[in-house]
Amino acid sequence: MTANIQNQTVNTAGLPGHCVSILHVEDSKADYLFIDEQLRGNIRFNYRVENANCLASAESKLANKDYDIMFLDLSLPDSSGIDTLQTIRQNHPNIPIIVLTGIHDDSIIDDVIHYGGQDYIHKDEFNSKLVARTIRYAIERKRSELELQDLAHHDPLTKLYNRSIFLDRLTHCLANAKRYANGRHCVVMLLDLDNFKTINDTLGHGVGDALLIQVANRIRYCVRESDTVARLGGDEFTILLEQIEQLNTINTAVNKIINALEEPFLIDGQSVYTSTSIGITSSNDEKDANAETILKNADVAMYTAKNKGGNQAQFFTRDLQVSVQIRNNLEKSLQKAIEEEEFELVFQPQINIIDNTIFGAETLLRWNHPKYGKIPPVSFIPSLEETGLIIPATEW
C-alpha cells in the first residue's frame, strides 16, 4: 500500500568501511577480470563483485539478491545498445547503474543519463580511484532521485499515496475491469472525518496532524495489503479495492474501519475522539466512467452519509446523484438571487387577541424566482444555512 524509501535497494554504500556489493554485467571475461583486479586494488574500499555474462543472467541474479550498484556493459549476447539499460531500469528501478563501455561515442553519455543510468565510464579509463568516486556519487544521485519520487507519489504527513497516484491506480483498475469483463470490478471508498475541524480549532494543528497519522495507520490495518490507501488532502482518505465480485463482501472491511476509528486516539497524553463518514461506489455504478467520475460519485455518497449524522457508510445510487444535482443547481440559483436581489420581504402581523389590535409584525423572507415565481422558505432556507449563504441573505 505504501512505499518507504528506507526499504529500497539504495543505501550508504560507497563510504569507507562499507563492503560495496556490485553486479558486473559483462560478457568479456578479460574485461571482467581487469575491472575486478582494479577494484580489489583499492585499499580504502571493500568490494564484492559478482558477474553476469548476459541480460538474462543479470535479471535472474537481481530477482534473488540486492546489490548496491550495477556495472553494465551495453553490448551483451542477448541484448545490445541502450535497450539493455532500458530493460534493466524498467524491471529494477531502484538500483544505481554505471555504464561501462569500450565505444568512444560522446553521444551515448546523454542517452545513458536520459534512460536512467547514473554515470558512464570508458573501460580504458577505468581505475580504482575513479571508480570509488563514481560509485559514491552514483549512489547518492540515485538516492536523491528516489527521495524526489517518494515526495511526488506520497503524502508527506501520513506516507500514504497521494491523489495523483490514487487516480493513476484507479484508472488502471478501470481499464482492466473493462478489458477482461470477468464480473469483477473496482470499488472506491471515500472517508471523511466527522469532527476534524473542531479538533483542529480546539486542540491545535499539531494534534490534528498526529490524529491524521494515527487514522492512516488504522485504515491500513483494516484493509488488504493489495488495496491502495491514499490521502486526498485535509481529512479525506480513499481506498481502492480491486477484483471485487460482490459489493456485500466489503461490508466486513467497512464495519472494521468504522469501529476502528470510533476508538479513542491517544495524543499527547489525552484521548481524542472522532468518527468517519464513508461513501462507497464501484465501476458498475456508471458505464465507461473514468477515475474522476468514480471519485465524484464516492464523494456524493460520502456527503450523504455525513448529512445523515456521520459515523456510517452510504453506497452511491443514481437517486443520490440526482438529488445532489438539484441541490447544486439550487445553490447556484440562490447565489444569483442574492446578487440580483430576487428576495423580498413580507410582514406577518402579530395581533393582540384581547382587543384585536396589531402590536408588531414578523418579517419573513420570500424568493421571487424569475422563472418559478414565489418560492416558500421551506424550499430554500435549509440550503441557505447549509451553504453559508444565510449570512449575506440576512444582511440583505
Side-chain angles (χ1 to χ4, degrees), residues 22-32 35 50-56 58 70-88 97-103 108 112 119-123 126:
I22 302 172
L23 177 61
H24 186 183
V25 187
E26 170 65 70
D27 66 327
S28 169
K29 187 174 182 180
D31 287 347
Y32 167 70
I35 290 174
E50 294 185 22
N51 176 239
N53 60 9
C54 64
L55 181 61
M70 174 188 288
F71 290 164
L72 178 64
D73 183 11
L74 298 182
S75 298
L76 300 172
D78 54 351
S79 181
S80 63
I82 209 68
D83 289 344
T84 307
L85 175 60
Q86 286 183 280
T87 300
I88 292 291
I97 299 175
I98 297 175
V99 170
L100 304 181
T101 181
I103 302 173
I108 199 173
V112 166
D119 215 328
Y120 171 98
I121 300 178
H122 197 275
K123 290 180 181 178
F126 193 97

Side-chain angles (χ1 to χ4, degrees), residues 175-317:
N176 283 341
K178 183 177 180 180
R179 177 181 179 184
Y180 296 111
N182 57 3
R184 298 182 178 183
H185 46 279
C186 318
V187 172
V188 170
M189 292 193 286
L190 181 63
L191 292 75
D192 185 270
L193 301 185
D194 291 327
N195 60 336
F196 183 71
K197 185 178 185 302
T198 302
I199 293 171
N200 250 350
D201 292 343
T202 57
L203 301 180
H205 291 281
V207 172
D209 287 348
L211 175 62
L212 291 174
I213 293 171
Q214 291 193 30
V215 166
N217 292 334
R218 290 193 188 183
I219 293 173
R220 281 185 291 195
Y221 177 77
C222 293
V223 298
R224 305 169 300 181
E225 282 292 328
S226 58
D227 297 329
T228 299
V229 183
R231 181 189 176 204
L232 298 186
D235 60 326
E236 280 193 340
F237 298 85
T238 190
I239 305 168
L240 170 62
L241 303 93
E242 302 186 40
Q243 298 290 310
I244 301 298
E245 294 186 32
Q246 301 291 334
L247 282 179
N248 57 14
T249 61
I250 70 170
N251 286 336
T252 299
V254 172
N255 292 330
K256 193 174 182 180
I257 292 170
I258 291 175
N259 292 335
L261 298 188
E262 277 185 319
E263 294 295 319
F265 295 84
L266 186 62
I267 301 173
D268 293 339
Q270 61 181 325
S271 295
V272 178
Y273 293 87
T274 187
S275 59
T276 185
S277 299
I278 305 177
I280 306 169
T281 189
S282 78
S283 53
N284 279 7
D285 289 329
E286 190 163 348
K287 187 178 180 181
D288 297 327
N290 59 27
E292 288 285 0
T293 300
I294 292 290
L295 202 55
K296 287 179 181 177
N297 290 346
D299 190 64
V300 167
M302 183 272 291
Y303 273 105
T304 301
K306 189 173 286 291
N307 290 335
K308 289 182 176 180
N311 198 30
Q312 60 184 286
Q314 173 70 53
F315 284 87
F316 173 82
T317 65

Side-chain angles (χ1 to χ4, degrees), residues 2 6 56-57 67 90 94 159 161 180 223 229 286 305 323 337 370:
T2 62
Q6 295 176 347
S57 176
Y67 298 87
Q90 180 178 354
N94 296 336
K159 308 307 178 186
Y161 287 118
Y180 296 111
V223 298
V229 183
E286 190 163 348
S323 66

